[in-house]
Amino acid sequence: VPSAAVDSETSERPLTTNAGPPDLEGELDGLVVDKIKFKKPGGETAFSIKLKDGGLKLVDPNEKELARVTVTEGGKFKLKDSRDEVLGYVTGEFPRFKIKDAAQKETLFEFRRQNDGDWELRRAEDVEICRIGKRDYGWNIEDGSKNDLAQVKVDGERTSIRDSGGQVRYYTNDFVPSLSVVPFGMPELTRGQAAALLAALMKARR
């Protein structure tokens, strides 16, 4: 697999995916996939995640790069657009991650695990905007008022992102840890931010 472009500001290191915390253990063992293709109902490709040495790329159905995530020497996940401009960072480690702006001066969101095993997405003002509850089928995503927003369902080898009514938005038949798909079901995040958080969750260590 060819390496991602070398970052001119920091040295990069591989996105390793052979172990992880409790939510990910077992799912990551033996992971060899280098591309996660998300499709729309009917089979048309919506977007893909291409795992690369040092990070990943988010590409459209025609393989055009939309965003790139690289892992810096300090373990931060740097998000860039297709023009190589920095859009933001994901910092932290399991079970608490922060999504920051391009200057790393402002924390936009915080994604963290609760004592009961659920997760939540909060704004910098400590306002809960999403609660992610573990379910037998995967994860249920609610807003701060406990209204259903989306679901991540695992059915055999298929993982799907569904709307509040249970209708499939996207699905993939490629192996991917279910928790790492959750960011794509949170409407507050851009697709690039979701990809960066996915990278952080896939690499998570205790």
Side-chain angles (χ1 to χ4, degrees):
V1 180
S3 298
V6 175
D7 193 304
S8 60
E9 299 173 11
T10 59
S11 59
E12 311 299 342
R13 62 185 186 185
L15 179 67
T16 55
T17 55
N18 59 354
D23 282 325
L24 306 181
E25 280 179 353
E27 291 187 281
L28 293 179
D29 290 344
L31 180 61
V32 295
V33 66
D34 59 5
K35 185 175 183 180
I36 305 165
K37 183 180 292 187
F38 288 91
K39 299 179 179 181
K40 301 176 184 178
E44 180 184 356
T45 299
F47 61 94
S48 297
I49 300 290
K50 300 177 75 172
L51 302 178
K52 299 283 186 178
D53 289 342
L56 58 77
K57 288 185 178 181
L58 174 69
V59 300
D60 71 8
N62 298 314
E63 297 292 312
K64 180 180 179 181
E65 182 179 324
L66 301 175
R68 179 190 311 159
V69 180
T70 52
V71 187
T72 71
E73 183 71 19
K76 299 176 183 179
F77 294 81
K78 179 185 288 188
L79 172 64
K80 292 184 175 181
D81 63 16
S82 60
R83 297 169 296 179
D84 210 37
E85 294 183 6
V86 178
L87 301 179
Y89 290 80
V90 173
T91 65
E93 57 187 26
F94 186 89
R96 195 168 190 168
F97 302 90
K98 292 182 178 181
I99 300 175
K100 296 188 174 184
D101 66 357
Q104 301 187 70
K105 293 182 178 180
E106 181 181 358
T107 296
L108 306 176
F109 304 100
E110 187 171 318
F111 187 66
R112 62 192 186 191
R113 189 183 185 187
Q114 304 303 293
N115 293 334
D116 60 4
D118 287 354
W119 289 74
E120 64 177 357
L121 182 71
R122 287 185 171 269
R123 290 193 186 279
E125 310 88 66
D126 207 31
V127 176
E128 184 181 66
I129 53 178
C130 286
R131 166 75 65 151
I132 299 91
K134 181 65 175 173
R135 300 289 188 269
D136 290 340
Y137 58 76
W139 304 90
N140 186 62
I141 305 171
E142 301 175 336
D143 65 16
S145 300
K146 298 186 177 181
N147 299 307
D148 288 341
L149 294 174
Q151 299 169 336
V152 172
K153 287 195 171 184
V154 180
D155 184 10
E157 296 182 354
R158 176 168 294 189
T159 300
S160 59
I161 304 170
R162 301 174 180 239
D163 63 22
S164 59
Q167 298 299 307
V168 176
R169 293 178 182 167
Y170 309 112
Y171 71 90
T172 181
N173 294 322
D174 299 316
F175 183 85
V176 59
S178 60
L179 180 61
S180 65
V181 178
V182 164
F184 290 96
M186 297 189 290
E188 295 287 339
L189 301 185
T190 67
R191 193 167 287 183
Q193 289 171 333
L197 187 51
L198 174 146
L201 289 167
M202 289 188 73
K203 190 180 180 296
R205 293 282 201 280
R206 286 191 84 179

